[in-house]
Amino acid sequence: MPETSDQREQRLEKLTALRAAGVEPYPARFSCTHSVAQALHVFTSSEGSAESPVVRTAGRIMSIRVMGKASFAHIMDGSGRIQIYIRQDEVGEQAYEFFLKMFDLGDFIGVEGPLFRTRTGEITIRVQSFQMLAKALRPLPEKWHGLTDVELRYRQRYLDLLANERVRRTFITRTRIVSAIRRFLDERGFLEVETPILQPIYGGAAARPFVTHHNALDCDFYLRISDELYLKRLIIGGLERVYEIGRDFRNEGISTKHNPEFTQIEVYQAYADYHEMMRLTEELWSTVAHEVLGTTTITYQGHEINLTPPWRRWPMREAIKEATGIDIAIHTDLESLRQQIQERRLELDIKPTWGKQIEELFKEYVEPNLIQPTFILDYPLDISPLAKKKPDAPGLVERFEFFIGGLECGNAFSELNDPLEQRERFEMQWQQLQEGDAEAHPMDEDWIRAMEYGMPPTGGLGFGIDRMTMLFTDNPSIREVILFPALKPKSGE
RNA sequence: GAGCCGUUAGCUCAGGAUGGUAGAGCACCUGCCUUUUAAGCAGGGAGUCGCGCGUUCGAGUCGCGCACGGCUCACCA
């Protein structure tokens, strides 16, 4: 083998040599009797009996230690990692030489042989025969430090998953969370449904959409910013408990808490109100935590957080009053609210409406301190065009958001089901759109028409699966819980 | 969009204030080694120092611009 500098070149030469020797480096199949985890288990449970079990298993070579006429290696499959032991006198001189010359870290190998325990106590396969299952042409990340370069980890997530056990666990947990949510809702009679991602009018949230074009129809579509208005059409249609887990798209800045595409669940239940949705929320989160993590206490960024119901219910009015001294039930117009902010010398951006100003006040002075699970109740009407008015509370709606670990996790309300009022709300939004608010809700005549056929009282809830996963896996950035987070393409690629 | 920081071998990182032949560990190649496990020992190969322009006799190092990334802020139900 000529010496070349490039490891890929060297491996390509091995590939050629394999084929020249009549060995297919990418065979179609290899039948295993055991996964790696099963092999370990079968040995443990048979230890002490006369015959040691023979297994046939496969995996990726993660380390090799050559000691002359015998070698050790570790192989890894999806279930775990096991050591293999290859001896020249066991497999023959030629086969042993073949192993040394042709196999590299990263290659997939199939092995067969009895299990034993080494002098240091590690369960090991004593290889009697082995086979190349797939040749790797590029070297793996470093075995000790793994892969730490954040950009490489995101752009080549497969390497991150290979090298970093914690990352693997995070994404397995994410999948289990979603399964547990489905189980929870299915058991309670909710139907999982699918609604359009390409929508002629976007809505259900305040956000700027992505626009795309349909060639055959020659018209623009928006990628949905939420599922809300379609799911509520299903409520009108008599599907009284529905949910959807799916991707939403918002054309906004990227941060540790925002990815332009993210996964949200939305749940709607006829004849429920927002109090009912609070009970559903705390029940769901604590049940899922218990199923996935085995506990309802999580640790997030150094905070111990208890998800056991009931969670704190805190009206926004009281929260703001406690944090700033301002009573929004007294200062019910923008002018007097601003005056209060000025008098108290609060550092705050100026917002164009009463509701937005309150929201700003809340975000600045209350939200960062909401570590234990908290429902914040009763939001300003002008930032909630789809929620039902709260009786005897002018300017407020029956809406809550919930916060855990300082993260805004979800949003819910008693759904507005009065079609005439819905029209007025949209007209208010249209006014804000005229005044330059790019996130104001667009008028949706088709939605109003649907509601005019009669919509039962309904509770609706939405929350982010990504942020839930962040909390459950103690990750501070949303990119750590999305397999392939949005990144700018490198120029030239 | 703004500020700060980062980008050196396949990977993890030194070097950079003070400009003068580009370094380490892992990985790779050669040799020795039949219970090792971050195996060991001896030897060896490997670089567009992110890209471009400039200053200089000379730039990984200094200056300017650009790209990508991270954090903070802005934006964001």
Side-chain angles (χ1 to χ4, degrees):
Chain A
M1 184 124 336
E3 286 183 21
T4 61
S5 56
D6 184 26
Q7 295 188 42
R8 186 163 174 274
E9 288 294 321
Q10 291 168 350
R11 288 174 181 229
L12 280 170
E13 281 160 20
K14 291 182 185 181
L15 195 70
T16 307
L18 279 167
R19 290 209 158 107
V23 175
E24 169 53 48
Y26 301 102
R29 61 189 61 81
F30 179 81
S31 58
C32 297
T33 58
H34 297 75
S35 70
V36 162
Q38 287 169 336
L40 292 168
H41 181 256
V42 80
F43 180 81
T44 313
S45 53
S46 74
E47 204 164 15
S49 56
E51 283 286 285
S52 81
V54 173
V55 296
R56 199 174 148 79
T57 192
R60 189 193 283 274
I61 301 174
M62 300 304 287
S63 63
I64 302 178
R65 292 171 292 285
V66 180
M67 312 183 52
K69 296 185 178 60
S71 297
F72 289 92
H74 274 101
I75 65 172
M76 181 170 85
D77 74 358
S79 71
R81 179 183 291 248
I82 194 169
Q83 182 167 254
I84 64 174
Y85 180 45
I86 305 187
R87 296 168 56 105
Q88 191 188 65
D89 59 9
E90 187 83 42
V91 299
E93 211 167 298
Q94 215 180 341
Y96 187 71
E97 180 73 6
F98 176 75
F99 174 76
L100 292 185
K101 288 280 174 279
M102 293 301 163
F103 283 72
D104 291 301
L105 298 187
D107 294 354
F108 284 85
I109 188 174
V111 298
E112 181 168 4
L115 292 155
F116 74 106
R117 215 179 261 280
T118 63
R119 198 177 282 166
T120 51
E122 179 162 358
I123 300 168
T124 300
I125 302 171
R126 186 176 175 117
V127 175
Q128 290 169 329
S129 66
F130 62 92
Q131 187 187 343
M132 174 71 75
L133 298 185
K135 185 81 195 143
L137 297 181
R138 295 175 188 265
L140 256 30
E142 203 234 11
K143 63 180 172 185
W144 193 241
H145 300 92
L147 189 68
T148 61
D149 183 295
V150 177
E151 189 172 352
L152 283 184
R153 288 184 46 234
Y154 296 161
R155 288 193 196 277
Q156 295 179 271
R157 183 69 94 178
Y158 45 93
L159 295 179
D160 191 27
L161 289 163
L162 268 179
N164 299 319
E165 166 73 23
R166 190 185 129 80
V167 172
R168 253 185 339 262
R169 280 208 312 276
T170 289
F171 287 106
I172 291 169
T173 299
R174 179 177 173 130
T175 296
R176 288 185 176 151
I177 287 170
V178 173
S179 304
I181 292 172
R182 287 204 166 97
R183 262 197 309 283
F184 179 92
L185 291 171
D186 293 348
E187 277 169 10
R188 283 161 181 75
F190 286 88
L191 295 176
E192 181 170 9
V193 297
E194 292 181 276
T195 64
I197 291 172
L198 297 177
Q199 303 181 344
I201 302 179
Y202 62 93
R208 279 148 66 184
F210 287 93
V211 188
T212 188
H213 188 76
H214 191 291
N215 290 337
L217 298 179
D218 190 25
C219 63
D220 285 344
F221 279 93
Y222 300 99
L223 272 62
R224 71 178 171 204
I225 59 173
S226 89
D227 312 350
E228 171 143 358
L229 297 181
Y230 282 93
L231 290 174
K232 290 200 291 202
R233 281 174 171 90
L234 300 181
I235 294 282
I236 292 168
L239 303 182
E240 293 181 338
R241 294 184 176 210
V242 292
Y243 73 97
E244 178 165 12
I245 298 174
R247 209 71 61 82
D248 289 343
F249 306 84
R250 297 185 184 174
N251 206 340
E252 291 160 353
I254 296 177
S255 77
T256 50
K257 297 183 181 67
H258 300 84
N259 196 62
E261 51 180 308
F262 64 102
T263 302
Q264 186 158 234
I265 180 171
E266 292 192 30
V267 186
Y268 293 86
Q269 180 178 345
Y271 312 110
D273 67 354
Y274 76 145
H275 292 291
E276 184 71 32
M277 298 324 272
M278 281 179 235
R279 288 189 286 275
L280 186 74
T281 301
E282 61 195 6
E283 186 86 0
L284 184 151
W285 276 63
S286 58
T287 302
V288 170
H290 188 75
E291 281 192 25
V292 173
L293 307 173
T295 170
T296 52
T297 302
I298 60 172
T299 302
Y300 187 66
Q301 303 297 297
H303 298 289
E304 194 163 283
I305 295 169
N306 186 357
L307 298 173
T308 311
W311 297 354
R312 182 178 192 190
R313 285 151 171 78
W314 204 14
M316 182 175 262
R317 174 189 171 191
E318 288 174 20
I320 289 178
K321 202 163 153 187
E322 186 172 309
T324 67
I326 300 175
D327 187 347
I328 61 171
I330 294 173
H331 304 283
T332 55
D333 62 276
L334 186 58
E335 271 318 299
S336 105
L337 187 64
R338 278 195 184 149
Q339 204 173 344
Q340 284 296 306
I341 290 167
Q342 250 174 13
E343 272 176 28
R344 289 162 207 276
R345 303 191 186 286
L346 303 178
E347 296 269 332
L348 211 59
D349 291 344
I350 297 297
K351 295 288 170 178
T353 70
W354 181 73
K356 283 180 196 283
Q357 194 65 66
I358 285 174
E359 187 178 35
E360 181 69 14
L361 203 53
F362 174 78
K363 280 193 178 208
E364 197 65 28
Y365 290 96
V366 182
E367 188 175 316
N369 305 318
L370 299 176
I371 303 300
Q372 295 302 318
T374 307
F375 294 113
I376 296 291
L377 279 56
D378 305 333
Y379 276 65
L381 181 143
D382 71 68
I383 55 169
S384 314
L386 303 167
K388 190 177 283 226
K389 272 182 192 155
K390 185 178 170 68
D392 309 318
L396 298 182
V397 293
E398 289 196 359
R399 169 181 175 187
F400 71 81
E401 293 193 334
F402 61 102
F403 298 82
I404 305 174
L407 276 180
E408 179 194 328
C409 291
N411 184 23
F413 24 94
S414 302
E415 303 293 337
L416 177 58
N417 62 342
D418 173 342
L420 301 183
E421 187 179 346
Q422 182 69 82
R423 178 178 296 283
E424 287 171 23
R425 299 284 193 91
F426 279 159
E427 278 163 1
M428 278 171 58
Q429 290 290 312
W430 190 81
Q431 198 64 39
Q432 292 178 17
L433 197 67
Q434 296 307 297
E435 286 158 16
D437 180 358
E439 280 142 22
H441 203 294
M443 173 62 75
D444 190 338
E445 290 288 354
D446 193 66
W447 165 237
I448 292 172
R449 180 171 56 188
M451 202 189 275
E452 285 184 356
Y453 284 94
M455 174 175 161
T458 300
L461 163 70
F463 60 83
I465 300 294
D466 313 282
R467 289 187 185 174
M468 187 181 200
T469 307
M470 288 167 68
L471 287 161
F472 279 31
T473 59
D474 196 13
N475 278 119
S477 166
I478 198 167
R479 284 176 220 121
E480 294 292 342
V481 302
I482 292 174
L483 282 165
F484 299 99
L487 293 179
K488 199 163 176 176
K490 287 241 175 183
S491 48
E493 281 179 24

